[in-house]
PDB file of all heavy atoms in Angstrom:
ATOM      1  N   ARG A 182       0.631  14.518  -8.055  1.00 98.00           N
ATOM      2  CA  ARG A 182      -0.383  13.466  -7.999  1.00 98.00           C
ATOM      3  C   ARG A 182      -1.737  14.032  -7.570  1.00 98.00           C
ATOM      4  O   ARG A 182      -2.781  13.583  -8.040  1.00 98.00           O
ATOM      5  CB  ARG A 182       0.075  12.357  -7.056  1.00 98.00           C
ATOM      6  CG  ARG A 182       1.237  11.521  -7.601  1.00 98.00           C
ATOM      7  CD  ARG A 182       1.809  10.595  -6.556  1.00 98.00           C
ATOM      8  NE  ARG A 182       2.789   9.656  -7.106  1.00 98.00           N
ATOM      9  CZ  ARG A 182       4.066   9.942  -7.333  1.00 98.00           C
ATOM     10  NH1 ARG A 182       4.520  11.165  -7.044  1.00 98.00           N
ATOM     11  NH2 ARG A 182       4.893   9.034  -7.842  1.00 98.00           N
ATOM     12  N   ALA A 183      -1.711  15.011  -6.683  1.00 98.00           N
ATOM     13  CA  ALA A 183      -2.963  15.628  -6.239  1.00 98.00           C
ATOM     14  C   ALA A 183      -3.661  16.333  -7.395  1.00 98.00           C
ATOM     15  O   ALA A 183      -4.885  16.212  -7.570  1.00 98.00           O
ATOM     16  CB  ALA A 183      -2.683  16.605  -5.103  1.00 98.00           C
ATOM     17  N   LEU A 184      -2.908  17.070  -8.206  1.00 98.00           N
ATOM     18  CA  LEU A 184      -3.518  17.766  -9.339  1.00 98.00           C
ATOM     19  C   LEU A 184      -3.915  16.782 -10.442  1.00 98.00           C
ATOM     20  O   LEU A 184      -4.964  16.954 -11.075  1.00 98.00           O
ATOM     21  CB  LEU A 184      -2.567  18.821  -9.893  1.00 98.00           C
ATOM     22  CG  LEU A 184      -2.315  20.040  -8.997  1.00 98.00           C
ATOM     23  CD1 LEU A 184      -1.467  21.074  -9.735  1.00 98.00           C
ATOM     24  CD2 LEU A 184      -3.631  20.676  -8.539  1.00 98.00           C
ATOM     25  N   LEU A 185      -3.105  15.766 -10.665  1.00 98.00           N
ATOM     26  CA  LEU A 185      -3.459  14.772 -11.683  1.00 98.00           C
ATOM     27  C   LEU A 185      -4.748  14.035 -11.322  1.00 98.00           C
ATOM     28  O   LEU A 185      -5.518  13.643 -12.204  1.00 98.00           O
ATOM     29  CB  LEU A 185      -2.320  13.768 -11.849  1.00 98.00           C
ATOM     30  CG  LEU A 185      -1.067  14.283 -12.575  1.00 98.00           C
ATOM     31  CD1 LEU A 185       0.072  13.279 -12.463  1.00 98.00           C
ATOM     32  CD2 LEU A 185      -1.374  14.582 -14.046  1.00 98.00           C
ATOM     33  N   ALA A 186      -4.992  13.862 -10.033  1.00 98.00           N
ATOM     34  CA  ALA A 186      -6.212  13.186  -9.593  1.00 98.00           C
ATOM     35  C   ALA A 186      -7.471  13.958  -9.978  1.00 98.00           C
ATOM     36  O   ALA A 186      -8.571  13.392 -10.017  1.00 98.00           O
ATOM     37  CB  ALA A 186      -6.173  12.957  -8.086  1.00 98.00           C
ATOM     38  N   SER A 187      -7.314  15.259 -10.254  1.00 98.00           N
ATOM     39  CA  SER A 187      -8.470  16.077 -10.629  1.00 98.00           C
ATOM     40  C   SER A 187      -8.683  16.138 -12.139  1.00 98.00           C
ATOM     41  O   SER A 187      -9.657  16.726 -12.605  1.00 98.00           O
ATOM     42  CB  SER A 187      -8.293  17.505 -10.090  1.00 98.00           C
ATOM     43  OG  SER A 187      -7.281  18.209 -10.811  1.00 98.00           O
ATOM     44  N   VAL A 188      -7.776  15.540 -12.921  1.00 98.00           N
ATOM     45  CA  VAL A 188      -7.908  15.555 -14.379  1.00 98.00           C
ATOM     46  C   VAL A 188      -8.967  14.548 -14.812  1.00 98.00           C
ATOM     47  O   VAL A 188      -8.884  13.358 -14.481  1.00 98.00           O
ATOM     48  CB  VAL A 188      -6.554  15.232 -15.048  1.00 98.00           C
ATOM     49  CG1 VAL A 188      -6.726  15.126 -16.567  1.00 98.00           C
ATOM     50  CG2 VAL A 188      -5.524  16.294 -14.704  1.00 98.00           C
ATOM     51  N   ASP A 189      -9.945  15.013 -15.529  1.00 98.00           N
ATOM     52  CA  ASP A 189     -11.075  14.169 -15.939  1.00 98.00           C
ATOM     53  C   ASP A 189     -10.608  13.036 -16.855  1.00 98.00           C
ATOM     54  O   ASP A 189      -9.926  13.262 -17.861  1.00 98.00           O
ATOM     55  CB  ASP A 189     -12.107  15.026 -16.674  1.00 98.00           C
ATOM     56  CG  ASP A 189     -13.380  14.255 -16.981  1.00 98.00           C
ATOM     57  OD1 ASP A 189     -13.884  13.572 -16.084  1.00 98.00           O
ATOM     58  OD2 ASP A 189     -13.846  14.337 -18.134  1.00 98.00           O
ATOM     59  N   GLY A 190     -10.957  11.794 -16.492  1.00 98.00           N
ATOM     60  CA  GLY A 190     -10.656  10.634 -17.312  1.00 98.00           C
ATOM     61  C   GLY A 190      -9.287  10.030 -17.087  1.00 98.00           C
ATOM     62  O   GLY A 190      -8.982   8.978 -17.656  1.00 98.00           O
ATOM     63  N   LEU A 191      -8.457  10.649 -16.265  1.00 98.00           N
ATOM     64  CA  LEU A 191      -7.089  10.167 -16.064  1.00 98.00           C
ATOM     65  C   LEU A 191      -7.024   9.134 -14.950  1.00 98.00           C
ATOM     66  O   LEU A 191      -7.620   9.302 -13.890  1.00 98.00           O
ATOM     67  CB  LEU A 191      -6.162  11.345 -15.742  1.00 98.00           C
ATOM     68  CG  LEU A 191      -4.674  11.052 -15.560  1.00 98.00           C
ATOM     69  CD1 LEU A 191      -3.837  12.216 -16.094  1.00 98.00           C
ATOM     70  CD2 LEU A 191      -4.327  10.814 -14.081  1.00 98.00           C
ATOM     71  N   GLU A 192      -6.278   8.074 -15.179  1.00 98.00           N
ATOM     72  CA  GLU A 192      -6.035   7.038 -14.177  1.00 98.00           C
ATOM     73  C   GLU A 192      -4.539   6.965 -13.880  1.00 98.00           C
ATOM     74  O   GLU A 192      -3.727   6.851 -14.800  1.00 98.00           O
ATOM     75  CB  GLU A 192      -6.505   5.671 -14.689  1.00 98.00           C
ATOM     76  CG  GLU A 192      -6.164   4.518 -13.743  1.00 98.00           C
ATOM     77  CD  GLU A 192      -6.282   3.155 -14.397  1.00 98.00           C
ATOM     78  OE1 GLU A 192      -6.643   3.083 -15.590  1.00 98.00           O
ATOM     79  OE2 GLU A 192      -5.973   2.147 -13.706  1.00 98.00           O
ATOM     80  N   ILE A 193      -4.161   7.056 -12.608  1.00 98.00           N
ATOM     81  CA  ILE A 193      -2.756   6.965 -12.218  1.00 98.00           C
ATOM     82  C   ILE A 193      -2.426   5.526 -11.838  1.00 98.00           C
ATOM     83  O   ILE A 193      -3.107   4.924 -11.009  1.00 98.00           O
ATOM     84  CB  ILE A 193      -2.445   7.895 -11.033  1.00 98.00           C
ATOM     85  CG1 ILE A 193      -2.733   9.357 -11.394  1.00 98.00           C
ATOM     86  CG2 ILE A 193      -0.978   7.752 -10.616  1.00 98.00           C
ATOM     87  CD1 ILE A 193      -2.521  10.321 -10.239  1.00 98.00           C
ATOM     88  N   ARG A 194      -1.387   4.995 -12.462  1.00 98.00           N
ATOM     89  CA  ARG A 194      -0.888   3.673 -12.115  1.00 98.00           C
ATOM     90  C   ARG A 194       0.545   3.822 -11.621  1.00 98.00           C
ATOM     91  O   ARG A 194       1.450   4.104 -12.407  1.00 98.00           O
ATOM     92  CB  ARG A 194      -0.915   2.738 -13.336  1.00 98.00           C
ATOM     93  CG  ARG A 194      -2.316   2.487 -13.888  1.00 98.00           C
ATOM     94  CD  ARG A 194      -2.263   1.500 -15.043  1.00 98.00           C
ATOM     95  NE  ARG A 194      -3.585   1.290 -15.640  1.00 98.00           N
ATOM     96  CZ  ARG A 194      -3.826   0.494 -16.669  1.00 98.00           C
ATOM     97  NH1 ARG A 194      -2.802  -0.196 -17.212  1.00 98.00           N
ATOM     98  NH2 ARG A 194      -5.037   0.371 -17.156  1.00 98.00           N
ATOM     99  N   GLU A 195       0.750   3.646 -10.348  1.00 98.00           N
ATOM    100  CA  GLU A 195       2.085   3.841  -9.776  1.00 98.00           C
ATOM    101  C   GLU A 195       3.041   2.743 -10.231  1.00 98.00           C
ATOM    102  O   GLU A 195       2.709   1.564 -10.220  1.00 98.00           O
ATOM    103  CB  GLU A 195       2.014   3.862  -8.253  1.00 98.00           C
ATOM    104  CG  GLU A 195       1.270   5.066  -7.678  1.00 98.00           C
ATOM    105  CD  GLU A 195       2.048   6.366  -7.825  1.00 98.00           C
ATOM    106  OE1 GLU A 195       3.209   6.341  -8.288  1.00 98.00           O
ATOM    107  OE2 GLU A 195       1.474   7.424  -7.479  1.00 98.00           O
ATOM    108  N   MET A 196       4.225   3.145 -10.619  1.00 98.00           N
ATOM    109  CA  MET A 196       5.248   2.179 -11.010  1.00 98.00           C
ATOM    110  C   MET A 196       6.023   1.690  -9.795  1.00 98.00           C
ATOM    111  O   MET A 196       5.973   2.283  -8.714  1.00 98.00           O
ATOM    112  CB  MET A 196       6.219   2.823 -12.015  1.00 98.00           C
ATOM    113  CG  MET A 196       7.187   3.837 -11.400  1.00 98.00           C
ATOM    114  SD  MET A 196       8.382   4.488 -12.584  1.00 98.00           S
ATOM    115  CE  MET A 196       7.361   5.716 -13.434  1.00 98.00           C
ATOM    116  N   ARG A 197       6.743   0.621  -9.989  1.00 96.00           N
ATOM    117  CA  ARG A 197       7.654   0.133  -8.959  1.00 96.00           C
ATOM    118  C   ARG A 197       8.802   1.139  -8.788  1.00 96.00           C
ATOM    119  O   ARG A 197       9.404   1.577  -9.742  1.00 96.00           O
ATOM    120  CB  ARG A 197       8.191  -1.231  -9.402  1.00 96.00           C
ATOM    121  CG  ARG A 197       9.359  -1.770  -8.618  1.00 96.00           C
ATOM    122  CD  ARG A 197       9.675  -3.199  -9.050  1.00 96.00           C
ATOM    123  NE  ARG A 197       9.715  -3.374 -10.495  1.00 96.00           N
ATOM    124  CZ  ARG A 197      10.819  -3.190 -11.242  1.00 96.00           C
ATOM    125  NH1 ARG A 197      11.950  -2.797 -10.683  1.00 96.00           N
ATOM    126  NH2 ARG A 197      10.774  -3.398 -12.554  1.00 96.00           N
ATOM    127  N   ASP A 198       9.078   1.500  -7.543  1.00 95.00           N
ATOM    128  CA  ASP A 198      10.179   2.424  -7.222  1.00 95.00           C
ATOM    129  C   ASP A 198      10.116   3.720  -8.034  1.00 95.00           C
ATOM    130  O   ASP A 198      11.059   4.067  -8.763  1.00 95.00           O
ATOM    131  CB  ASP A 198      11.530   1.755  -7.465  1.00 95.00           C
ATOM    132  CG  ASP A 198      11.733   0.515  -6.598  1.00 95.00           C
ATOM    133  OD1 ASP A 198      11.237   0.527  -5.462  1.00 95.00           O
ATOM    134  OD2 ASP A 198      12.390  -0.430  -7.058  1.00 95.00           O
ATOM    135  N   PRO A 199       9.044   4.483  -7.931  1.00 96.00           N
ATOM    136  CA  PRO A 199       8.933   5.718  -8.713  1.00 96.00           C
ATOM    137  C   PRO A 199       9.962   6.777  -8.327  1.00 96.00           C
ATOM    138  O   PRO A 199      10.227   7.706  -9.095  1.00 96.00           O
ATOM    139  CB  PRO A 199       7.510   6.198  -8.402  1.00 96.00           C
ATOM    140  CG  PRO A 199       7.212   5.635  -7.050  1.00 96.00           C
ATOM    141  CD  PRO A 199       7.881   4.291  -7.039  1.00 96.00           C
ATOM    142  N   ASP A 200      10.539   6.632  -7.127  1.00 95.00           N
ATOM    143  CA  ASP A 200      11.502   7.626  -6.648  1.00 95.00           C
ATOM    144  C   ASP A 200      12.953   7.261  -6.943  1.00 95.00           C
ATOM    145  O   ASP A 200      13.870   7.946  -6.503  1.00 95.00           O
ATOM    146  CB  ASP A 200      11.334   7.834  -5.143  1.00 95.00           C
ATOM    147  CG  ASP A 200      11.509   6.549  -4.344  1.00 95.00           C
ATOM    148  OD1 ASP A 200      11.418   5.458  -4.946  1.00 95.00           O
ATOM    149  OD2 ASP A 200      11.732   6.624  -3.130  1.00 95.00           O
ATOM    150  N   VAL A 201      13.178   6.192  -7.699  1.00 95.00           N
ATOM    151  CA  VAL A 201      14.536   5.791  -8.057  1.00 95.00           C
ATOM    152  C   VAL A 201      14.954   6.519  -9.332  1.00 95.00           C
ATOM    153  O   VAL A 201      14.177   6.676 -10.271  1.00 95.00           O
ATOM    154  CB  VAL A 201      14.622   4.262  -8.249  1.00 95.00           C
ATOM    155  CG1 VAL A 201      15.979   3.866  -8.857  1.00 95.00           C
ATOM    156  CG2 VAL A 201      14.415   3.560  -6.924  1.00 95.00           C
ATOM    157  N   CYS A 202      16.216   6.962  -9.375  1.00 95.00           N
ATOM    158  CA  CYS A 202      16.766   7.732 -10.490  1.00 95.00           C
ATOM    159  C   CYS A 202      16.534   7.042 -11.831  1.00 95.00           C
ATOM    160  O   CYS A 202      16.559   5.817 -11.936  1.00 95.00           O
ATOM    161  CB  CYS A 202      18.266   7.933 -10.247  1.00 95.00           C
ATOM    162  SG  CYS A 202      19.117   8.857 -11.550  1.00 95.00           S
ATOM    163  N   CYS A 203      16.353   7.849 -12.874  1.00 93.00           N
ATOM    164  CA  CYS A 203      16.181   7.314 -14.228  1.00 93.00           C
ATOM    165  C   CYS A 203      17.512   7.129 -14.945  1.00 93.00           C
ATOM    166  O   CYS A 203      17.562   6.601 -16.056  1.00 93.00           O
ATOM    167  CB  CYS A 203      15.284   8.235 -15.050  1.00 93.00           C
ATOM    168  SG  CYS A 203      16.108   9.767 -15.577  1.00 93.00           S
ATOM    169  N   GLY A 204      18.606   7.625 -14.339  1.00 90.00           N
ATOM    170  CA  GLY A 204      19.913   7.474 -14.955  1.00 90.00           C
ATOM    171  C   GLY A 204      20.395   8.685 -15.710  1.00 90.00           C
ATOM    172  O   GLY A 204      21.522   8.704 -16.212  1.00 90.00           O
ATOM    173  N   PHE A 205      19.562   9.729 -15.809  1.00 90.00           N
ATOM    174  CA  PHE A 205      19.977  10.919 -16.571  1.00 90.00           C
ATOM    175  C   PHE A 205      21.043  11.700 -15.795  1.00 90.00           C
ATOM    176  O   PHE A 205      22.214  11.695 -16.145  1.00 90.00           O
ATOM    177  CB  PHE A 205      18.765  11.793 -16.893  1.00 90.00           C
ATOM    178  CG  PHE A 205      19.120  13.077 -17.595  1.00 90.00           C
ATOM    179  CD1 PHE A 205      19.727  13.049 -18.836  1.00 90.00           C
ATOM    180  CD2 PHE A 205      18.841  14.306 -17.017  1.00 90.00           C
ATOM    181  CE1 PHE A 205      20.068  14.229 -19.487  1.00 90.00           C
ATOM    182  CE2 PHE A 205      19.177  15.482 -17.661  1.00 90.00           C
ATOM    183  CZ  PHE A 205      19.786  15.447 -18.894  1.00 90.00           C
ATOM    184  N   GLY A 206      20.630  12.372 -14.753  1.00 84.00           N
ATOM    185  CA  GLY A 206      21.595  13.061 -13.892  1.00 84.00           C
ATOM    186  C   GLY A 206      22.407  14.137 -14.581  1.00 84.00           C
ATOM    187  O   GLY A 206      23.539  14.410 -14.176  1.00 84.00           O
ATOM    188  N   GLY A 207      21.890  14.753 -15.646  1.00 80.00           N
ATOM    189  CA  GLY A 207      22.636  15.807 -16.325  1.00 80.00           C
ATOM    190  C   GLY A 207      23.917  15.279 -16.935  1.00 80.00           C
ATOM    191  O   GLY A 207      23.913  14.383 -17.778  1.00 80.00           O
ATOM    192  N   THR A 208      25.039  15.823 -16.497  1.00 81.00           N
ATOM    193  CA  THR A 208      26.331  15.406 -17.055  1.00 81.00           C
ATOM    194  C   THR A 208      26.699  13.985 -16.641  1.00 81.00           C
ATOM    195  O   THR A 208      27.602  13.388 -17.225  1.00 81.00           O
ATOM    196  CB  THR A 208      27.444  16.365 -16.616  1.00 81.00           C
ATOM    197  OG1 THR A 208      27.466  16.445 -15.181  1.00 81.00           O
ATOM    198  CG2 THR A 208      27.210  17.764 -17.178  1.00 81.00           C
ATOM    199  N   PHE A 209      26.007  13.423 -15.665  1.00 85.00           N
ATOM    200  CA  PHE A 209      26.280  12.048 -15.230  1.00 85.00           C
ATOM    201  C   PHE A 209      26.130  11.061 -16.376  1.00 85.00           C
ATOM    202  O   PHE A 209      26.944  10.147 -16.549  1.00 85.00           O
ATOM    203  CB  PHE A 209      25.334  11.663 -14.079  1.00 85.00           C
ATOM    204  CG  PHE A 209      25.416  10.220 -13.663  1.00 85.00           C
ATOM    205  CD1 PHE A 209      26.356   9.814 -12.726  1.00 85.00           C
ATOM    206  CD2 PHE A 209      24.569   9.260 -14.197  1.00 85.00           C
ATOM    207  CE1 PHE A 209      26.450   8.476 -12.331  1.00 85.00           C
ATOM    208  CE2 PHE A 209      24.647   7.933 -13.816  1.00 85.00           C
ATOM    209  CZ  PHE A 209      25.600   7.547 -12.873  1.00 85.00           C
ATOM    210  N   CYS A 210      25.089  11.237 -17.183  1.00 84.00           N
ATOM    211  CA  CYS A 210      24.833  10.278 -18.259  1.00 84.00           C
ATOM    212  C   CYS A 210      25.896  10.354 -19.346  1.00 84.00           C
ATOM    213  O   CYS A 210      26.060   9.413 -20.128  1.00 84.00           O
ATOM    214  CB  CYS A 210      23.434  10.484 -18.853  1.00 84.00           C
ATOM    215  SG  CYS A 210      23.241  12.022 -19.758  1.00 84.00           S
ATOM    216  N   VAL A 211      26.628  11.468 -19.396  1.00 84.00           N
ATOM    217  CA  VAL A 211      27.718  11.598 -20.357  1.00 84.00           C
ATOM    218  C   VAL A 211      29.001  10.991 -19.793  1.00 84.00           C
ATOM    219  O   VAL A 211      29.714  10.245 -20.466  1.00 84.00           O
ATOM    220  CB  VAL A 211      27.949  13.084 -20.709  1.00 84.00           C
ATOM    221  CG1 VAL A 211      29.128  13.233 -21.666  1.00 84.00           C
ATOM    222  CG2 VAL A 211      26.693  13.692 -21.317  1.00 84.00           C
ATOM    223  N   LYS A 212      29.271  11.287 -18.523  1.00 86.00           N
ATOM    224  CA  LYS A 212      30.514  10.813 -17.902  1.00 86.00           C
ATOM    225  C   LYS A 212      30.468   9.332 -17.561  1.00 86.00           C
ATOM    226  O   LYS A 212      31.506   8.657 -17.570  1.00 86.00           O
ATOM    227  CB  LYS A 212      30.791  11.633 -16.636  1.00 86.00           C
ATOM    228  CG  LYS A 212      31.135  13.087 -16.912  1.00 86.00           C
ATOM    229  CD  LYS A 212      31.521  13.838 -15.651  1.00 86.00           C
ATOM    230  CE  LYS A 212      30.346  14.127 -14.764  1.00 86.00           C
ATOM    231  NZ  LYS A 212      30.698  15.018 -13.629  1.00 86.00           N
ATOM    232  N   TYR A 213      29.288   8.820 -17.261  1.00 84.00           N
ATOM    233  CA  TYR A 213      29.157   7.416 -16.844  1.00 84.00           C
ATOM    234  C   TYR A 213      28.055   6.745 -17.662  1.00 84.00           C
ATOM    235  O   TYR A 213      27.037   6.310 -17.127  1.00 84.00           O
ATOM    236  CB  TYR A 213      28.848   7.336 -15.346  1.00 84.00           C
ATOM    237  CG  TYR A 213      29.858   8.057 -14.487  1.00 84.00           C
ATOM    238  CD1 TYR A 213      29.572   9.299 -13.943  1.00 84.00           C
ATOM    239  CD2 TYR A 213      31.109   7.497 -14.234  1.00 84.00           C
ATOM    240  CE1 TYR A 213      30.500   9.975 -13.161  1.00 84.00           C
ATOM    241  CE2 TYR A 213      32.048   8.157 -13.447  1.00 84.00           C
ATOM    242  CZ  TYR A 213      31.733   9.395 -12.923  1.00 84.00           C
ATOM    243  OH  TYR A 213      32.661  10.067 -12.152  1.00 84.00           O
ATOM    244  N   GLY A 214      28.299   6.665 -18.958  1.00 86.00           N
ATOM    245  CA  GLY A 214      27.268   6.181 -19.877  1.00 86.00           C
ATOM    246  C   GLY A 214      26.778   4.773 -19.588  1.00 86.00           C
ATOM    247  O   GLY A 214      25.579   4.505 -19.660  1.00 86.00           O
ATOM    248  N   GLU A 215      27.678   3.864 -19.259  1.00 93.00           N
ATOM    249  CA  GLU A 215      27.265   2.482 -19.028  1.00 93.00           C
ATOM    250  C   GLU A 215      26.409   2.357 -17.772  1.00 93.00           C
ATOM    251  O   GLU A 215      25.430   1.607 -17.757  1.00 93.00           O
ATOM    252  CB  GLU A 215      28.508   1.583 -18.911  1.00 93.00           C
ATOM    253  CG  GLU A 215      29.260   1.428 -20.232  1.00 93.00           C
ATOM    254  CD  GLU A 215      30.421   0.457 -20.114  1.00 93.00           C
ATOM    255  OE1 GLU A 215      30.622  -0.096 -19.015  1.00 93.00           O
ATOM    256  OE2 GLU A 215      31.119   0.249 -21.118  1.00 93.00           O
ATOM    257  N   ILE A 216      26.777   3.089 -16.720  1.00 94.00           N
ATOM    258  CA  ILE A 216      25.979   3.058 -15.492  1.00 94.00           C
ATOM    259  C   ILE A 216      24.611   3.680 -15.754  1.00 94.00           C
ATOM    260  O   ILE A 216      23.580   3.155 -15.338  1.00 94.00           O
ATOM    261  CB  ILE A 216      26.696   3.794 -14.355  1.00 94.00           C
ATOM    262  CG1 ILE A 216      28.040   3.130 -14.048  1.00 94.00           C
ATOM    263  CG2 ILE A 216      25.828   3.830 -13.100  1.00 94.00           C
ATOM    264  CD1 ILE A 216      28.885   3.880 -13.046  1.00 94.00           C
ATOM    265  N   SER A 217      24.600   4.809 -16.468  1.00 91.00           N
ATOM    266  CA  SER A 217      23.346   5.479 -16.805  1.00 91.00           C
ATOM    267  C   SER A 217      22.426   4.554 -17.592  1.00 91.00           C
ATOM    268  O   SER A 217      21.222   4.478 -17.325  1.00 91.00           O
ATOM    269  CB  SER A 217      23.637   6.743 -17.621  1.00 91.00           C
ATOM    270  OG  SER A 217      22.449   7.342 -18.086  1.00 91.00           O
ATOM    271  N   ALA A 218      23.000   3.828 -18.564  1.00 94.00           N
ATOM    272  CA  ALA A 218      22.196   2.923 -19.381  1.00 94.00           C
ATOM    273  C   ALA A 218      21.600   1.793 -18.548  1.00 94.00           C
ATOM    274  O   ALA A 218      20.450   1.391 -18.757  1.00 94.00           O
ATOM    275  CB  ALA A 218      23.053   2.341 -20.511  1.00 94.00           C
ATOM    276  N   ALA A 219      22.367   1.291 -17.585  1.00 96.00           N
ATOM    277  CA  ALA A 219      21.856   0.217 -16.721  1.00 96.00           C
ATOM    278  C   ALA A 219      20.700   0.717 -15.858  1.00 96.00           C
ATOM    279  O   ALA A 219      19.710   0.012 -15.647  1.00 96.00           O
ATOM    280  CB  ALA A 219      22.980  -0.325 -15.845  1.00 96.00           C
ATOM    281  N   ILE A 220      20.825   1.949 -15.368  1.00 96.00           N
ATOM    282  CA  ILE A 220      19.775   2.508 -14.516  1.00 96.00           C
ATOM    283  C   ILE A 220      18.495   2.736 -15.305  1.00 96.00           C
ATOM    284  O   ILE A 220      17.392   2.394 -14.855  1.00 96.00           O
ATOM    285  CB  ILE A 220      20.255   3.824 -13.867  1.00 96.00           C
ATOM    286  CG1 ILE A 220      21.421   3.549 -12.920  1.00 96.00           C
ATOM    287  CG2 ILE A 220      19.116   4.503 -13.110  1.00 96.00           C
ATOM    288  CD1 ILE A 220      22.090   4.806 -12.384  1.00 96.00           C
ATOM    289  N   VAL A 221      18.613   3.323 -16.503  1.00 96.00           N
ATOM    290  CA  VAL A 221      17.406   3.614 -17.284  1.00 96.00           C
ATOM    291  C   VAL A 221      16.770   2.333 -17.802  1.00 96.00           C
ATOM    292  O   VAL A 221      15.552   2.281 -18.034  1.00 96.00           O
ATOM    293  CB  VAL A 221      17.702   4.592 -18.437  1.00 96.00           C
ATOM    294  CG1 VAL A 221      18.408   3.910 -19.608  1.00 96.00           C
ATOM    295  CG2 VAL A 221      16.410   5.249 -18.925  1.00 96.00           C
ATOM    296  N   THR A 222      17.546   1.266 -17.962  1.00 97.00           N
ATOM    297  CA  THR A 222      16.968  -0.022 -18.361  1.00 97.00           C
ATOM    298  C   THR A 222      16.003  -0.528 -17.289  1.00 97.00           C
ATOM    299  O   THR A 222      14.897  -1.004 -17.592  1.00 97.00           O
ATOM    300  CB  THR A 222      18.085  -1.052 -18.605  1.00 97.00           C
ATOM    301  OG1 THR A 222      18.880  -0.630 -19.718  1.00 97.00           O
ATOM    302  CG2 THR A 222      17.499  -2.427 -18.905  1.00 97.00           C
ATOM    303  N   LYS A 223      16.410  -0.426 -16.033  1.00 97.00           N
ATOM    304  CA  LYS A 223      15.534  -0.832 -14.923  1.00 97.00           C
ATOM    305  C   LYS A 223      14.309   0.075 -14.840  1.00 97.00           C
ATOM    306  O   LYS A 223      13.198  -0.385 -14.579  1.00 97.00           O
ATOM    307  CB  LYS A 223      16.301  -0.804 -13.609  1.00 97.00           C
ATOM    308  CG  LYS A 223      17.395  -1.858 -13.498  1.00 97.00           C
ATOM    309  CD  LYS A 223      18.090  -1.787 -12.140  1.00 97.00           C
ATOM    310  CE  LYS A 223      19.151  -2.867 -12.014  1.00 97.00           C
ATOM    311  NZ  LYS A 223      19.849  -2.801 -10.700  1.00 97.00           N
ATOM    312  N   LYS A 224      14.530   1.364 -15.050  1.00 97.00           N
ATOM    313  CA  LYS A 224      13.406   2.302 -14.988  1.00 97.00           C
ATOM    314  C   LYS A 224      12.407   2.017 -16.099  1.00 97.00           C
ATOM    315  O   LYS A 224      11.179   2.031 -15.864  1.00 97.00           O
ATOM    316  CB  LYS A 224      13.924   3.741 -15.083  1.00 97.00           C
ATOM    317  CG  LYS A 224      12.854   4.819 -15.112  1.00 97.00           C
ATOM    318  CD  LYS A 224      11.965   4.791 -13.877  1.00 97.00           C
ATOM    319  CE  LYS A 224      12.728   5.177 -12.624  1.00 97.00           C
ATOM    320  NZ  LYS A 224      11.804   5.380 -11.468  1.00 97.00           N
ATOM    321  N   ALA A 225      12.880   1.755 -17.304  1.00 97.00           N
ATOM    322  CA  ALA A 225      11.975   1.464 -18.419  1.00 97.00           C
ATOM    323  C   ALA A 225      11.151   0.214 -18.137  1.00 97.00           C
ATOM    324  O   ALA A 225       9.958   0.156 -18.466  1.00 97.00           O
ATOM    325  CB  ALA A 225      12.775   1.304 -19.712  1.00 97.00           C
ATOM    326  N   ALA A 226      11.761  -0.788 -17.522  1.00 97.00           N
ATOM    327  CA  ALA A 226      11.028  -2.006 -17.182  1.00 97.00           C
ATOM    328  C   ALA A 226       9.925  -1.706 -16.178  1.00 97.00           C
ATOM    329  O   ALA A 226       8.799  -2.211 -16.294  1.00 97.00           O
ATOM    330  CB  ALA A 226      11.989  -3.056 -16.618  1.00 97.00           C
ATOM    331  N   ALA A 227      10.226  -0.876 -15.194  1.00 98.00           N
ATOM    332  CA  ALA A 227       9.220  -0.512 -14.190  1.00 98.00           C
ATOM    333  C   ALA A 227       8.066   0.254 -14.819  1.00 98.00           C
ATOM    334  O   ALA A 227       6.905   0.095 -14.427  1.00 98.00           O
ATOM    335  CB  ALA A 227       9.875   0.311 -13.087  1.00 98.00           C
ATOM    336  N   ILE A 228       8.380   1.083 -15.790  1.00 98.00           N
ATOM    337  CA  ILE A 228       7.341   1.873 -16.465  1.00 98.00           C
ATOM    338  C   ILE A 228       6.420   0.963 -17.261  1.00 98.00           C
ATOM    339  O   ILE A 228       5.183   1.039 -17.149  1.00 98.00           O
ATOM    340  CB  ILE A 228       7.994   2.921 -17.395  1.00 98.00           C
ATOM    341  CG1 ILE A 228       8.737   3.976 -16.575  1.00 98.00           C
ATOM    342  CG2 ILE A 228       6.945   3.575 -18.298  1.00 98.00           C
ATOM    343  CD1 ILE A 228       9.703   4.827 -17.394  1.00 98.00           C
ATOM    344  N   THR A 229       6.990   0.081 -18.080  1.00 98.00           N
ATOM    345  CA  THR A 229       6.157  -0.765 -18.933  1.00 98.00           C
ATOM    346  C   THR A 229       5.354  -1.784 -18.134  1.00 98.00           C
ATOM    347  O   THR A 229       4.266  -2.190 -18.549  1.00 98.00           O
ATOM    348  CB  THR A 229       7.031  -1.485 -19.978  1.00 98.00           C
ATOM    349  OG1 THR A 229       8.073  -2.220 -19.315  1.00 98.00           O
ATOM    350  CG2 THR A 229       7.668  -0.490 -20.927  1.00 98.00           C
TER     351      THR A 229
END
């Protein structure tokens, strides 16, 4: 965030819960696909 603040013309808009997992987790998204999908659904909503 410190370096992004120095980028000319860039505006940072913080999302809700930026530190919450996106659901990927490497092999987690393969072994627990339904849980991973639920997590990334919430993350996508926070992003948009």
